[in-house]
Amino acid sequence: MLVPELWLCLSFGCAASLGPSCLSAQLRRPGDFILGGLFPFGKDTVNLTARSEPTLLLCERLFTDGLIWALGMRFAIDQINNSSSLLPGITLGYDMYDTCFEALVALQPSLLFLTRNGTTGIGVLCNYTEYQPRVTAVIGPHKSDLCLVTAKLFSSFLIPQVSYGASSETLSNTELYPSFYRTVPSDKNLVEAVVLLLNHFGWNWIATIGSDDEYGRGAQALFLSMAGNNNICIAFEGLIPTHLAEPNAKKQLEDTVKLINSTKVNVIVLFAFNLPAQALLEHSIRMGLGKKVWIGTEAWMLSDIIASIPNIQSIGTVLGFVMRTEIVPGFQEYVAELFSSVEQEDFCRESRELSRLMNAEVLDTQCQQCGHVTLGDIWPTLRVTTVQPVHVAVYGVAHALHRALGCTPKACPKISVRSWQLLQFMNTLPFEVNGQSFRFDQSHSTNTGYKLIFWAWRNGTLTYLPVGDYDQSLSIRKSQIQFHTADQKEPTSECFRRCQPGQFRRIKGFNLCCYDCTDCPENTFWSSTDSTSCSPCPQHQWAPARSTRCHDRSERFLFWDEPLAVALVTLMALSTALCCGTALLFLKHWQTPLVQVSGGGRSLLALLSLVLLSLSCCLHVGKPSDGLCTVQQLSYALCLNGCFSTFVPKALEITLVTEFPRCAPRLLRWVTHSRAWLLVAASLLTEGLLCLCHLQLGPDFLVADYQSLPSEVLLVCGTKSWAAFALLHGYNSCLAFACFLCTFMVQTPGRRYNMARGITFATLICFVIWIFFIVIFATLRTVLRAVTQICTILATTLGILVSYFIPKCYIMVFRPDLNTWDYFQNPTDEEPKEDS
């Protein structure tokens, strides 16, 4: 048998009940079925002396929630016993004990409840099916720490235990605690409401503090897990001591305030009971933490002790969630009548008789300091303490017992019901209490929702103002909330600003929750709110900076209607017209010495080649294709070769006459007159063969370039084989170089036309143009590549035309007096000089 004097609670002088002796006896009553009650008959205070001995304090405080909850249980049982529809003919009894806020103390009455009915011993059996404990069900205790201890005991015997305040999510595990129920929501629902509140105001940089007990640790752990999934960053998380008499408790509180201040957060979420919350707030005021938004819970939000802390208004704005409950009709009148009856001798005599029937010597200790409670002492607390959870807990057990007994509306059979038989009825149908429907969900909890409370100070008086509701979703009446800021608008509390669409998070510093919002660059797009990078667009699409989606690329090439293309085509037409005009002028003066000396028909072939070369510019305008890309280089090479091949006989002729006069008579017949055409044909045939080689080695092809332009796909002709390219154009370069070597040092006697000078300048101009063309063509990757090719063609055409043909046209038109055989005498007509 347990010795009560050895328990910690009794060593401090805690009470098994509160109030005058006759009221204390009324906390025990016999009946057909006994309900065990575990209540904390005490409350925290701001008295510094009492705070140094928190356990003794619980008995010294007269204004207690525990007494009110105990009276709430008694009120519910009296209602049921007087009901004609619920458990008719059955009397419920009760046996209530103090937990002293200590788990070890709560174990003592819990073990008493488990004893075999009528004894003080617990039977050790293999099968407890027929075991009848002292109580049928247990109401309480209030705190999660105590329930985690007692619930394991009662679950072992499958005795229903219904708590009216334990909200720890751990207790939702019905496999570990199959017989545990509660008439309050779990912390999971509370944390969901807090997260929605933070998101509603855009607070994503916050501090969270919990008391170092099951409630604080469990709620904070749930909050941390949900905050991370909702883009809420934790600047600081910490635990504050619950036993304030410990040596390092003060230092721990001071360190917590300093760390909060260093984070520069404006929002603090506090999961703690009265004493730890009171200590933290007092230190925050004393150390000048500054005004913050404090988000609290019912565990401390409605505490009159905390509200009476000196200068409490300086902490800032207080918002918090309290369980949505209704007033129990008739309870305050019931308490008033009960305290009025306490003063009558008949009531006290009846109380003592009932106490003797309940084996009064078992745990019958009383607190001497608590023998003078009056209605005036308890009335202020009675107005703010909710008793509905206790009321609903008793009714939940009563309805389960009603169904287990198989009661009719008129009577209940007098049969024995084991505690474990109640469980299946508690899990099924809902039950009504004062017209409101309740039921236990899968986690054995009742989720009645929450009210959002705002601390409104009016003329120094605190009012708990409801400003919102939470029931699966959160609704807030923001206009009723006046924040501590100058404009009374909600403050900001964020390490980062919320990124806009088209921006991604760029982490800064060592805290992953701190980042800057950076615009997505071109050709990337924003894919999700919490993305730390932008997604690249597919190759065939593009996106501007700070884009949320990609767009299809448009094709880019040199369009016919572009101003630049129009200008180039106009220049091409002018070049073609000049070539044609020159050819007509040569035809008109066909028999003149100038035309005959210039090569006659070969000059017309050169002009025809230049006309075709000029017209080939059209191949570079418009949308390219593989065929056009192949023809572009071939046409340029063949047309240019047609021009240069006509220069070769004349250059060789000049070289033989001037440099090799002795060989000239024998060799000139191979480079003049009709045999000169053989050289032209051989050159064209060679270039034709090189064109075939170019086609075999790798012709130019169409390239879709997605890299050069940000929003368009550039269609250009790409060079597949630079060897083939060099081979194709290298032959023309060799012809031009040969002509240049043959003519650039030739001197002409005075008063004679220098035929070599035109060829020299024509080839020199081509060399310069090709140097620039090759450099630009190999590196350029825009639409200007086609422009470069057109300009090269036109520059080559006009360069040859201006340097070789235009001077001759000038003589034919403006100086016909010089168009004589004497001025254009062919070197072959002169006598060759002796070699020196």
XYZ file of all heavy atoms in Angstrom, residues 253-254 256-262 264-266 268 279-292 294 310-311 313-316:
265
model
N 16.784 32.873 -19.288
C 15.792 33.823 -19.770
C 16.458 35.061 -20.353
O 16.044 35.566 -21.410
C 14.855 34.213 -18.629
C 13.853 33.142 -18.184
C 13.210 33.533 -16.867
C 12.791 32.914 -19.251
N 17.497 35.557 -19.689
C 18.200 36.738 -20.199
C 18.880 36.452 -21.532
O 18.845 37.277 -22.453
C 19.226 37.208 -19.169
C 18.604 37.782 -17.905
C 19.656 38.154 -16.868
O 20.838 37.743 -17.064
O 19.316 38.834 -15.888
N 17.920 34.302 -23.712
C 16.867 34.184 -24.724
C 16.457 35.556 -25.239
O 16.316 35.769 -26.457
C 15.644 33.456 -24.131
O 16.029 32.156 -23.709
C 14.535 33.357 -25.162
N 16.283 36.520 -24.326
C 15.890 37.871 -24.738
C 16.989 38.504 -25.590
O 16.714 39.172 -26.606
C 15.585 38.731 -23.502
C 15.308 40.178 -23.915
C 14.392 38.170 -22.745
N 18.255 38.329 -25.210
C 19.363 38.893 -25.991
C 19.405 38.306 -27.402
O 19.618 39.026 -28.383
C 20.686 38.630 -25.276
C 20.859 39.413 -23.978
C 22.183 39.047 -23.289
C 22.357 39.809 -21.983
N 23.601 39.416 -21.276
N 19.201 36.996 -27.510
C 19.244 36.365 -28.827
C 18.076 36.824 -29.700
O 18.238 37.011 -30.916
C 19.236 34.840 -28.662
C 20.531 34.236 -28.110
C 20.337 32.762 -27.775
C 21.668 34.405 -29.109
N 16.921 36.999 -29.101
C 15.780 37.502 -29.875
C 16.083 38.896 -30.394
O 15.806 39.233 -31.550
C 14.509 37.506 -29.004
C 14.083 36.078 -28.651
C 13.362 38.214 -29.733
C 12.921 36.016 -27.679
N 16.663 39.723 -29.547
C 16.973 41.094 -29.937
C 17.995 41.140 -31.070
O 17.940 42.006 -31.949
C 17.489 41.865 -28.724
C 17.526 43.359 -28.965
O 16.604 43.922 -29.535
N 18.592 43.998 -28.533
N 18.929 40.197 -31.082
C 19.967 40.182 -32.122
C 19.417 39.775 -33.481
O 20.006 40.113 -34.507
C 21.102 39.233 -31.718
O 20.649 37.890 -31.667
N 16.563 40.743 -34.720
C 15.801 41.863 -35.278
C 14.466 41.412 -35.868
O 13.977 41.984 -36.848
C 16.619 42.616 -36.330
C 17.942 43.165 -35.816
C 18.640 44.020 -36.838
C 20.004 44.495 -36.332
N 19.941 45.211 -35.065
N 13.880 40.387 -35.288
C 12.549 39.969 -35.722
C 11.505 40.867 -35.071
O 11.741 41.469 -34.020
C 12.275 38.491 -35.371
C 13.238 37.573 -36.075
C 12.325 38.281 -33.864
N 10.358 40.956 -35.683
C 9.262 41.739 -35.125
C 8.102 40.877 -34.655
O 7.110 41.421 -34.153
C 8.744 42.740 -36.172
C 9.727 43.865 -36.410
O 10.425 44.297 -35.501
N 9.813 44.325 -37.652
N 7.078 37.223 -32.504
C 7.519 36.145 -31.618
C 6.326 35.243 -31.342
O 5.267 35.722 -30.921
C 8.086 36.702 -30.289
C 9.240 37.664 -30.554
C 8.530 35.557 -29.380
C 9.703 38.414 -29.315
N 7.545 34.962 -16.769
C 8.960 35.250 -16.536
C 9.616 35.828 -17.778
O 10.404 36.783 -17.698
C 9.676 33.980 -16.094
N 9.313 35.274 -18.943
C 9.918 35.777 -20.184
C 9.468 37.206 -20.466
O 10.289 38.061 -20.839
C 9.547 34.860 -21.347
C 10.059 35.303 -22.722
C 11.580 35.240 -22.761
C 9.464 34.442 -23.828
N 8.207 37.484 -20.303
C 7.713 38.828 -20.588
C 8.286 39.841 -19.610
O 8.601 40.980 -19.990
C 6.180 38.826 -20.538
C 5.487 38.019 -21.657
C 3.989 37.969 -21.439
C 5.808 38.598 -23.022
N 8.424 39.458 -18.346
C 9.023 40.367 -17.379
C 10.468 40.695 -17.745
O 10.897 41.855 -17.669
C 8.963 39.748 -15.981
C 7.577 39.757 -15.366
C 7.553 39.104 -13.996
O 8.546 38.420 -13.643
O 6.550 39.259 -13.295
N 11.226 39.691 -18.158
C 12.614 39.945 -18.571
C 12.655 40.780 -19.847
O 13.557 41.612 -20.025
C 13.344 38.621 -18.781
C 13.865 38.011 -17.516
N 13.064 37.338 -16.624
C 15.120 37.982 -16.980
C 13.790 36.913 -15.617
N 15.044 37.288 -15.797
N 11.723 40.578 -20.758
C 11.700 41.363 -21.996
C 11.462 42.834 -21.691
O 12.085 43.717 -22.299
C 10.603 40.835 -22.923
O 10.840 39.489 -23.262
N 10.568 43.108 -20.736
C 10.296 44.500 -20.355
C 11.503 45.098 -19.645
O 11.933 46.231 -19.935
C 9.037 44.557 -19.472
C 7.805 44.101 -20.266
C 8.822 45.972 -18.940
C 6.564 43.928 -19.418
N 12.080 44.371 -18.727
C 13.201 44.882 -17.951
C 14.426 45.134 -18.822
O 15.164 46.113 -18.621
C 13.547 43.891 -16.841
C 14.708 44.342 -15.940
C 14.894 43.380 -14.779
N 15.159 42.029 -15.239
C 16.376 41.590 -15.610
N 17.409 42.410 -15.580
N 16.541 40.339 -16.005
N 14.656 44.280 -19.829
C 15.846 44.409 -20.669
C 15.594 45.280 -21.896
O 16.481 45.437 -22.749
C 16.326 43.016 -21.109
C 16.729 42.121 -19.953
S 17.152 40.437 -20.476
C 18.617 40.744 -21.463
N 14.405 45.862 -22.010
C 14.123 46.789 -23.113
C 14.117 46.130 -24.471
O 14.716 46.654 -25.423
N 13.447 45.003 -24.594
C 13.429 44.289 -25.881
C 12.793 45.118 -26.975
O 13.193 45.056 -28.130
C 12.679 42.959 -25.715
C 12.526 42.102 -26.983
C 13.899 41.709 -27.518
C 11.685 40.869 -26.711
N 11.830 45.941 -26.638
C 11.142 46.722 -27.662
C 9.812 46.084 -28.017
O 9.519 44.940 -27.672
N 9.018 46.840 -28.716
C 7.676 46.372 -29.051
C 7.718 45.364 -30.188
O 8.330 45.606 -31.225
C 6.785 47.557 -29.417
C 6.496 48.477 -28.239
C 5.491 49.552 -28.590
C 5.153 50.398 -27.369
N 4.122 51.417 -27.670
N 7.063 44.266 -29.957
C 6.979 43.195 -30.946
C 5.524 42.764 -31.103
O 4.639 43.228 -30.373
C 7.818 41.982 -30.509
C 9.258 42.287 -30.132
C 10.110 42.618 -31.327
C 11.560 42.835 -30.926
N 12.411 43.201 -32.090
N 3.462 39.638 -30.390
C 3.514 38.380 -29.652
C 2.302 37.546 -30.043
O 1.166 37.998 -29.907
C 3.514 38.634 -28.142
C 4.760 39.304 -27.644
C 5.029 40.638 -27.674
C 5.891 38.673 -27.048
N 6.279 40.883 -27.141
C 6.830 39.695 -26.741
C 6.209 37.357 -26.727
C 8.054 39.439 -26.139
C 7.428 37.093 -26.125
C 8.338 38.122 -25.841
N 3.599 44.728 -14.455
C 3.839 46.170 -14.620
C 4.385 46.494 -16.011
O 5.269 45.818 -16.515
C 4.868 46.492 -13.526
C 4.673 45.426 -12.492
C 4.297 44.192 -13.259
N 3.804 47.523 -16.616
C 4.231 48.012 -17.936
C 4.070 46.947 -19.018
O 4.834 46.917 -19.993
C 5.694 48.498 -17.877
C 6.003 49.469 -19.001
O 5.102 50.116 -19.542
N 7.269 49.568 -19.353
N 1.936 46.740 -21.245
C 1.531 47.305 -22.532
C 2.728 47.607 -23.438
O 2.566 47.733 -24.652
C 0.735 48.591 -22.310
C -0.560 48.388 -21.535
C -1.343 49.673 -21.395
O -1.299 50.550 -22.251
N -2.060 49.806 -20.287
N 3.918 47.707 -22.851
C 5.098 48.089 -23.640
C 5.634 46.947 -24.494
O 6.557 47.163 -25.284
C 6.206 48.592 -22.712
O 6.677 47.530 -21.880
N 5.107 45.743 -24.335
C 5.650 44.624 -25.126
C 5.203 44.694 -26.575
O 5.787 44.039 -27.435
C 5.255 43.269 -24.516
C 3.744 43.040 -24.606
C 5.745 43.144 -23.095
C 3.308 41.650 -24.187
N 4.141 45.476 -26.876
C 3.705 45.609 -28.257
C 2.302 45.076 -28.458
O 1.399 45.313 -27.647
